Amino acid sequence: MDRFALFSECLLAGVWIAVAALPVLTFPAAFAAGTRHLRRYLDGEQGGLREFAADVRAAARGGWIVGAAVCAAAALLLLDLAAVRAGLPGGPLVGAVGILAMIGLLVAVLRAASCWEPGALWRPLLAEAGRNTVRDPAGSLLLVCGMAVVVLSGALVLPLAVPVLGAVAAAATAVRARRPAH
């Protein structure tokens, strides 16, 4: 397989994920469709924008609730960080726990999205992803590093964060593919 073609497919998937995730609540569905697109590409199956859009619509049926939960968790984290800045007793500890919990939640959501197939329910996917987040610390660290690259890329050159999302989708696909070996 041509490695540059795979790299370009990852970048394209990142752009598609970013566009589909603009309504924020659709981020899990967009990521699920992006990882499914990459799995189709790696398996040599036909897939393009039309299939990606169909996957986003199918994944969004239950995925928007996951997106809303992530947004609610982010709001709680912002509240925790406001307590840290206000100098409340125990604030730094609560802030650190909040940040770690948010990172764990995001890793579990990325793992669940990478396992999504049409017709799959999000609740069992998230339960299994939560277990795998703890059982496979190397895979979880890979996803944390991928998210860090997106954040740092966005901090340096904002438009660069868009295609880098495809690299995180590729990382999630790789973590999913290596999971049965354990």
Side-chain angles (χ1 to χ4, degrees), residues 20-182:
L22 282 176
V24 180
L25 296 181
T26 60
F27 175 73
F31 197 81
T35 57
R36 186 151 190 270
H37 170 75
L38 291 176
R39 286 194 315 265
R40 271 195 303 263
Y41 179 81
L42 289 170
D43 292 339
E45 298 174 13
Q46 186 66 24
L49 183 58
R50 186 170 294 152
E51 289 82 4
F52 175 84
D55 284 343
V56 169
R57 283 191 301 277
R61 288 189 187 99
W64 71 270
I65 297 170
V66 177
V70 171
C71 289
L76 286 174
L77 178 62
L78 290 175
L79 187 63
D80 282 349
L81 295 178
V84 170
R85 279 188 236 109
L88 292 176
L93 176 64
V94 171
V97 169
I99 289 171
L100 290 175
M102 186 65 182
I103 290 170
L105 174 66
L106 289 174
V107 167
V109 168
L110 293 181
R111 281 179 176 266
S114 71
C115 294
W116 180 86
E117 294 286 339
L121 299 174
W122 281 92
R123 181 174 282 182
L125 287 175
L126 285 168
E128 183 64 23
R131 286 188 290 274
N132 289 334
T133 297
V134 175
R135 287 184 197 147
D136 180 20
S140 297
L141 183 60
L142 179 65
L143 293 176
V144 169
C145 291
M147 290 185 294
V149 168
V150 170
V151 170
L152 293 174
S153 298
L156 295 173
V157 181
L158 187 59
L160 187 59
V162 171
V164 171
L165 282 172
V168 177
T173 303
V175 166
R176 177 184 185 266
R178 68 183 273 284
R179 187 184 71 221
H182 283 49

